[in-house]
Amino acid sequence: QVQLVESGGGSVQPGGSLRLSCAASRNILSFISMGWYRQVPGKERELVATVTSGGTTNYADSVQGRFTISRDNAKNTVYLQMNSLKPEETAVYYCNARHIIVSEVYDYWGQGTQVTVSS
């Protein structure tokens, strides 16, 4: 079983910054990708950013240029640096780890961390 523990959420004013962390219970290089998603009540969970085991990053158009995903392999931790935050980005942010075994996809999720952007 894989455990993902997020931290770093909180409240920030519009234009502010936060850094989220996701600590995994195993070697993150064993996952084909890790990433961050967010969800607000009544809406589907949406992709924010991902990073593959090879280091390729992918961002939602809405966060491109403001958010940065990174990882520390030695600490088995993935980060999401969020700058210039907007009120509409208030959501629960979830860490994801994706593992593929013989073409079967396994997604693991953290418990989520609340990010509130408000003046």
Side-chain angles (χ1 to χ4, degrees):
Q1 184 66 300
V2 176
Q3 291 185 328
L4 303 172
V5 180
E6 300 110 331
S7 61
S11 295
V12 65
Q13 292 187 341
S17 298
L18 283 175
R19 189 176 83 151
L20 305 182
S21 300
C22 172
S25 60
R26 58 189 265 190
N27 186 349
I28 61 174
L29 290 176
S30 68
F31 303 115
I32 191 168
S33 70
M34 293 193 70
W36 291 93
Y37 291 70
R38 62 190 179 193
Q39 188 171 25
V40 297
K43 291 191 175 181
E44 291 188 358
R45 193 170 295 186
E46 65 173 6
L47 180 146
V48 177
T50 61
V51 58
T52 69
S53 57
T56 301
T57 57
N58 180 53
Y59 296 92
D61 289 344
S62 61
V63 307
Q64 186 77 39
R66 298 185 297 117
F67 290 14
T68 302
I69 189 169
S70 62
R71 66 183 191 211
D72 185 330
N73 297 332
K75 295 182 178 180
N76 291 323
T77 300
V78 175
Y79 304 97
L80 184 68
Q81 177 67 43
M82 304 186 293
N83 299 328
S84 302
L85 280 160
K86 304 175 182 180
E88 56 265 36
E89 294 177 314
T90 295
V92 178
Y93 284 69
Y94 294 92
C95 180
N96 168 265
R98 176 160 290 181
H99 195 47
I100 295 180
I101 303 175
V102 193
S103 76
E104 290 287 330
V105 177
Y106 297 87
D107 278 315
Y108 303 97
W109 297 94
Q111 80 286 355
T113 185
Q114 177 70 45
V115 171
T116 301
V117 185
S118 174
S119 55

